[in-house]
Amino acid sequence: MKRIFVTMAAVLLGAGAVFAQQDIVNQRQTEMKNNAKNLGGVLVAMVKGEKPYDQAAVDAALGVLVANAKVLSTQFPDSTKGLRSGDKYSASPKIWENRADFESHLASFAKVVNEAKASVKDLDTLKATVPLIGKQCANCHETYRLKDG
Amino acid sequence: MTRRLSILAAIVIVAGFAIYWWLTMPVVIAASALPARTPDLANGRTAFNIGGCASCHATPNQPDRTKLGGGLPLSTPFGAFHVPNISPDPKDGIGGWSEAQFVTAVMEGVSPHGAHFFPAFPYPSYHRARLADIRDMFAYIRTLSPVSGRAPDHDIAFPYNIRRNVGIWKWLFMERRPFADVAGQSPQWNRGAYLVNTLGHCAECHSPRNALGGIIAAQRFAGGPNPEGKGWVPNITQKNLGDWSEKDIAYFLESGLTPDGDSAGGSMASVIKNTAQLSAEDRAAMAVYLKSLPPVDGPPRVRARPSN
């Protein structure tokens, strides 16, 4: 009886740990999507003229990118290596094989979005800046994001 | 009787071999076939960028797109290719090549030694480009810094490793017709069609291939399994991009950002580094042409559990 309890507890604890790791994966996935929503739905839409330029909306969108950039590096702990998101994309194991390079991409992204937050004041500066942000996304996704399926 | 039969067999074998030899003969463009021309370096840079030379030939893990030392491994179903050095280094790169040798390599897929290149090098698309653009590309590459060092040899499985056989592949799958403007289409559309189909070689990845690695013509641009291994290359006909405007496509080629704010990844991220260097007019022309591609169903997508 006791043995069953101990085993059950161990299994539950183990499962709990896996769930917690999966939570981290889901959370970073949500943040990435949030970045996309703010880029695509706000910044890119204004660049293309689908939405009028609105400084407050620009500041808010860039604020989301800046906030997410701050936490990203904590959201790829070793324990999440190999975990799938169950979504369109997953993190490549190369992140953990090449951690220093991966971190330098995150740092570069953080630098670019912080500079953007300080410098974008009108449609022209926005037009010049958004491709720089896109480049940061693509540079890291080139190596460290896997497309599933 | 036996003697006659063996003579007949010998004739058949010799004739068969002669036909094989004739079919697989490499095409070489002679220097005398190149009319006098003053190179246009700006056009050469454009040809270099739309041709995506740097995506494969730039030395990996360093940011300079003009250091063409090669070495990138490309894993394919036929084995691993190691991209060669095409910097102007006279010993390890193409510094010792003549213009005619370069044109032969890029447009015919034949090396200065007269051997076929494997079509991992997208010469079937480059073949249809304008001679002047390839000559300007050569002139531009000659202005870049030489990089020393050679990539390891390709590691290709038998029988694909027999270069002479590539001649048969070319005969079967290489479109020999040079690019021609389509009457009735705008100059912008024709410019886009030219960039997408020749130098841009978009169809090389965005089309399914048959067992011998030939593009399935009916499903050109309809996507398929990634020729470099994992994942799926998207369908870029209107079947999949119907809700992208011309502006969306052009902006993606400039910034790598999709209309919903997602970004290019994998090999496409590298392609965007090339298209980002083009003029806004050229990106718009490509968008106009791509937007005009009729919707075509790609091969059924196998959603296999991805492996690590």
Side-chain angles (χ1 to χ4, degrees):
Chain A
M1 194 62 195
K2 209 171 168 190
R3 224 187 291 170
I4 292 173
F5 263 127
V6 171
T7 317
M8 290 259 290
V11 165
L12 283 175
L13 266 175
V18 169
F19 278 128
Q21 300 316 313
Q22 196 62 51
D23 274 351
I24 299 177
V25 173
N26 295 344
Q27 199 180 338
R28 72 188 181 215
Q29 201 69 9
T30 305
E31 275 154 21
M32 290 289 185
K33 283 183 184 164
N34 214 0
N35 285 347
K37 222 184 283 168
N38 282 281
L39 266 166
V42 182
L43 304 175
V44 170
M46 286 180 195
V47 168
K48 288 182 188 161
E50 290 159 3
K51 279 188 179 169
Y53 186 82
D54 171 352
Q55 187 69 49
V58 168
D59 288 341
L62 287 172
V64 170
L65 298 185
V66 166
N68 283 340
K70 233 175 252 165
V71 294
L72 262 185
S73 95
T74 64
Q75 287 185 321
F76 293 85
D78 292 352
S79 53
T80 61
K81 179 177 176 176
L83 287 184
R84 298 274 150 198
S85 69
D87 214 321
K88 196 174 166 191
Y89 302 114
S90 286
S92 166
K94 284 183 186 156
I95 289 174
W96 294 277
E97 288 153 15
N98 220 343
R99 187 76 199 198
D101 182 61
F102 176 69
E103 292 286 346
S104 76
H105 279 290
L106 296 185
S108 173
F109 171 64
K111 181 166 173 278
V112 167
V113 290
N114 274 292
E115 282 169 4
K117 183 105 199 309
S119 69
V120 175
K121 294 290 167 234
D122 51 30
L123 187 56
D124 281 342
T125 45
L126 182 70
K127 274 186 180 167
T129 303
V130 175
L132 302 180
I133 300 175
K135 207 173 175 185
Q136 296 302 313
C137 305
N139 270 350
C140 195
H141 289 160
E142 178 173 358
T143 313
Y144 296 111
R145 182 177 74 176
L146 290 181
K147 194 152 111 184
D148 293 346
Chain B
M1 186 64 194
T2 331
R3 193 155 161 263
R4 272 198 208 168
L5 263 182
S6 48
I7 290 172
L8 187 70
I11 290 172
V12 167
I13 288 169
V14 169
F17 193 75
I19 289 172
Y20 169 82
W21 206 249
W22 174 72
L23 272 179
T24 58
M25 240 170 2
V27 178
V28 174
I29 297 170
S32 56
L34 305 177
R37 175 178 173 81
T38 311
D40 175 345
L41 287 178
N43 184 49
R45 185 176 172 277
T46 299
F48 175 84
N49 282 325
I50 181 65
C53 310
S55 290
C56 281
H57 291 280
T59 307
N61 304 319
Q62 58 86 39
D64 188 347
R65 293 163 42 77
T66 64
K67 281 206 164 64
L68 303 173
L72 182 78
L74 290 179
S75 38
T76 74
F78 307 102
F81 294 96
H82 297 276
V83 177
N85 183 333
I86 59 159
S87 77
D89 187 87
K91 189 168 69 66
D92 298 328
I94 62 168
W97 290 23
S98 71
E99 188 184 27
Q101 285 174 330
F102 181 84
V103 169
T104 301
V106 175
M107 301 188 78
E108 296 295 345
V110 172
S111 79
H113 304 296
H116 292 296
F117 285 127
F118 294 109
F121 175 26
Y123 56 78
S125 291
Y126 297 157
H127 175 76
R128 306 191 61 213
R130 295 192 183 102
L131 179 62
D133 287 345
I134 304 298
R135 296 178 71 186
D136 289 346
M137 181 197 275
F138 180 61
Y140 173 73
I141 290 176
R142 300 271 291 197
T143 66
L144 305 176
S145 349
V147 180
S148 57
R150 277 173 179 270
D153 285 339
H154 300 319
D155 187 11
I156 306 301
F158 180 82
Y160 306 108
N161 60 346
I162 301 173
R163 285 182 185 269
R164 191 86 199 181
N165 286 338
V166 174
I168 301 282
W169 188 93
K170 288 179 178 174
W171 180 68
L172 288 172
F173 304 120
M174 199 162 145
E175 168 103 72
R176 288 268 159 202
R177 195 167 41 93
F179 179 85
D181 281 355
V182 174
Q185 292 286 1
S186 68
Q188 188 186 32
W189 185 94
N190 276 309
R191 173 71 178 162
Y194 175 73
L195 293 174
V196 166
N197 284 295
T198 68
L199 290 162
H201 66 275
C202 308
E204 300 281 346
C205 285
H206 286 280
S207 309
R209 289 176 182 268
N210 60 28
L212 290 175
I215 286 177
I216 300 168
Q219 290 179 314
R220 197 172 160 83
F221 298 119
N226 183 355
E228 286 170 38
K230 282 178 211 153
W232 199 264
V233 181
N235 186 333
I236 54 170
T237 71
Q238 286 300 291
K239 183 83 197 177
N240 187 37
L241 294 187
D243 55 355
W244 287 44
S245 66
E246 284 169 11
K247 211 184 231 176
D248 290 338
I249 299 173
Y251 197 68
F252 177 67
L253 295 174
E254 178 188 353
S255 67
L257 291 169
T258 70
D260 55 8
D262 193 357
S263 97
S267 308
M268 195 62 203
S270 168
V271 173
I272 298 292
K273 289 178 193 162
N274 305 318
T275 53
Q277 304 285 323
L278 297 176
S279 68
E281 290 76 27
D282 277 348
R283 283 191 295 264
M286 290 171 76
V288 165
Y289 172 72
L290 288 170
K291 191 66 197 166
S292 78
L293 291 175
V296 174
D297 275 309
R301 187 158 177 168
V302 194
R303 278 207 179 270
R305 221 186 109 74
S307 60
N308 280 324

